[in-house]
């Protein structure tokens, strides 16, 4: 499996191409899979993400979870980036690009909807894939769990007010079914499974061997997720390549920019690598199920806002993998 990890970016690029190609060749098959969803959470993708998360959950030592309170700086960095920086920089980039730089190519109504979709992505920090990025960077699993859990708790109270303020509307409703189902699927169930597995495999060496055997399944789950996500949107990619490219540009700049801010802050704060890695990555990825659900409820299924949130999904995986590679290469810049 070392070959897959070494050339992961190549495999992901191949899976992107395969997903788009298969989506165009067999659209009904992907439509059938896309229809298997509840509360805007696709159940097939949820299973694949669960496969990716499970190995990390097995490694969580609850004694270490109790010690997280003694190292609060990484948690503070996560909350500041996610709730005081990211939503506002996303809104600013959306306005800059679609009100000014891209104005000759985008009509004002569409521009407003694209900006709205970007804002919804910016106000919805990631829940599920953070565990995957943390695992790929060998981040501290216990600290990652606490970061995600606290972030989800803040999201319950902060998502609607911040989104309403930036969108200039008053009727933003949190899709509680999506938020609750995602938390159960991506945090609670794999965590319970991880705890039960640790109890069954009490020996540390047996636990290490079991996690090593699961590693190939985790990588395959990531690649299969990429194929599905791009297959679902193959027709949109073919029909609106220019619009998707325009939306992708500020989203990519936002992702790298937020990562840079978090990375520099983590170094200045002298965070240990195991804490710094997930802290830098959690603010750069998005809770796209939540963003898509709110975009559809506010603006409609075929709106520019919904399209912008979908582009966020397409951009996230390849961009985040590049940041994972960068983080791994710069491990030496942080305390052990």
């Amino acid at each position: 499996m070392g070959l897959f990890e070494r050339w992961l970016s190549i495999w992901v690029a191949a899976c992107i191409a395969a997903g788009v190609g298969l989506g165009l060749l067999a659209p009904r098959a992907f439509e059938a899979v896309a229809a298997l969803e509840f509360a805007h959470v696709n159940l097939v993708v949820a299973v694949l993400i669960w496969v990716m998360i499970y190995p990390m959950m097995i490694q969580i030592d609850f004694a270490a979870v109790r010690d997280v309170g003694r190292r609060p700086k990484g948690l503070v960095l996560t909350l500041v980036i996610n709730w005081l920086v990211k939503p506002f920089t996303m809104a600013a980039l959306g306005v800059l690009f679609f009100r000014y730089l891209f104005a000759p190519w985008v009509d004002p109504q569409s521009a407003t909807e694209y900006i709205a979709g970007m804002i919804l992505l910016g106000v919805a920090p990631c829940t599920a894939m953070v565990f995957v990025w943390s695992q790929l960077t060998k981040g501290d699993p216990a600290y990652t769990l606490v970061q995600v859990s606290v972030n989800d708790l803040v999201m319950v109270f902060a998502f609607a007010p911040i989104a309403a303020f930036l969108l200039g509307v008053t009727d933003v409703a949190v899709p509680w079914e999506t938020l609750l189902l995602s938390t159960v699927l991506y945090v609670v169930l794999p965590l319970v499974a991880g705890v039960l597995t640790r109890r069954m495999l009490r020996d540390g060496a047996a636990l290490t061997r079991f996690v090593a055997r699961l590693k190939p399944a985790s990588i395959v789950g990531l690649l299969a997720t990429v194929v599905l996500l791009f297959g679902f949107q193959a027709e949109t990619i073919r029909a609106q390549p220019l619009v998707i490219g325009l939306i992708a540009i500020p989203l990519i700049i936002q992702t790298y920019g937020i990562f840079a801010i978090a990375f520099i802050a983590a170094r200045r704060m002298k965070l240990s690598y195991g804490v710094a890695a997930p802290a830098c990555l959690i603010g750069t990825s998005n809770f796209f199920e939540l963003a898509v659900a709110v975009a559809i409820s506010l603006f409609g299924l075929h709106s520019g806002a919904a399209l912008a949130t979908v582009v966020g999904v397409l951009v996230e995986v390849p961009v985040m993998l590049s940041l994972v590679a960068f983080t791994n290469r710069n491990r030496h810049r942080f305390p052990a």
Side-chain angles (χ1 to χ4, degrees), residues 6 9 136-137 256 259 263 273 321-334:
R6 194 176 305 117
S9 58
L136 290 174
T137 56
Y256 284 121
F259 177 84
F263 186 86
Y273 177 78
L321 284 172
S322 72
L323 292 176
V324 165
F326 177 87
T327 304
N328 285 331
R329 285 196 302 270
N330 289 273
R331 179 189 302 266
H332 64 281
R333 297 181 182 273
F334 297 91

Side-chain angles (χ1 to χ4, degrees), residues 211-237:
V211 171
R213 286 198 295 269
L214 288 176
K215 208 169 187 180
S218 182
I219 299 296
V220 170
L222 174 61
L223 298 178
T225 301
V226 172
V227 172
L228 283 181
L229 292 178
F230 279 82
F232 291 158
Q233 304 302 327
E235 185 56 44
T236 302
I237 293 171

Side-chain angles (χ1 to χ4, degrees), residues 9-188:
S9 58
I10 294 177
W11 307 133
V12 169
C15 288
I16 290 173
V20 174
L22 290 171
L24 295 175
L25 290 173
R28 291 186 179 179
F30 281 89
E31 288 171 5
V33 176
L36 299 173
E37 69 169 33
F38 179 76
H40 298 282
V41 176
N42 185 272
L43 301 181
V44 177
V45 173
V47 170
L48 293 173
I49 293 177
W50 198 92
V51 169
M52 290 185 270
I53 292 174
Y54 174 56
M56 185 174 189
M57 291 299 193
I58 298 174
Q59 301 172 63
I60 293 176
D61 180 0
F62 277 86
V65 171
R66 291 195 295 270
D67 290 338
V68 167
R70 301 175 185 174
R71 300 175 290 163
K73 290 193 293 185
L75 191 56
V76 170
L77 175 61
T78 296
L79 294 176
V80 169
I81 292 293
N82 282 347
W83 299 107
L84 299 181
V85 177
K86 182 181 177 182
F88 304 96
T89 56
M90 184 74 94
L93 281 173
V95 171
L96 172 64
F97 277 88
F98 287 104
R99 288 281 183 242
Y100 299 98
L101 299 181
F102 294 161
W105 301 287
V106 180
D107 65 87
Q109 178 60 35
S110 296
T112 299
E113 293 186 357
Y114 298 152
I115 294 168
M118 290 179 60
I119 288 172
L120 291 173
L121 284 170
V123 190
C126 189
T127 291
M129 294 299 286
V130 173
F131 293 109
V132 180
W133 312 137
S134 183
Q135 183 178 354
L136 290 174
T137 56
K138 296 181 173 59
D140 184 330
Y143 209 100
T144 303
L145 173 64
V146 174
Q147 285 175 310
V148 171
S149 300
V150 172
N151 206 51
D152 285 354
L153 183 61
V154 173
M155 195 182 313
V156 170
F157 300 99
F159 177 86
I162 295 177
F165 171 73
L166 292 175
L167 292 173
V169 298
T170 58
D171 57 347
V172 174
V174 177
W176 295 110
E177 285 186 342
T178 302
L179 187 57
L180 179 60
L181 180 61
S182 297
T183 303
V184 170
L185 285 177
Y186 301 144
V187 180
V188 178

Side-chain angles (χ1 to χ4, degrees), residues 185-254:
L185 285 177
Y186 301 144
V187 180
V188 178
L189 288 181
L191 182 60
V192 170
V195 170
L196 294 177
T197 304
R198 285 183 70 91
R199 289 183 178 178
M200 292 172 60
L201 302 172
R202 297 180 181 179
D203 179 59
L207 191 65
T208 301
R209 288 194 299 270
F210 183 68
V211 171
R213 286 198 295 269
L214 288 176
K215 208 169 187 180
S218 182
I219 299 296
V220 170
L222 174 61
L223 298 178
T225 301
V226 172
V227 172
L228 283 181
L229 292 178
F230 279 82
F232 291 158
Q233 304 302 327
E235 185 56 44
T236 302
I237 293 171
R238 182 175 68 173
Q240 305 183 69
L242 176 61
V243 172
I244 289 175
L246 293 179
I247 296 172
I249 291 171
L251 290 179
I252 291 172
I253 293 172
Q254 161 78 1

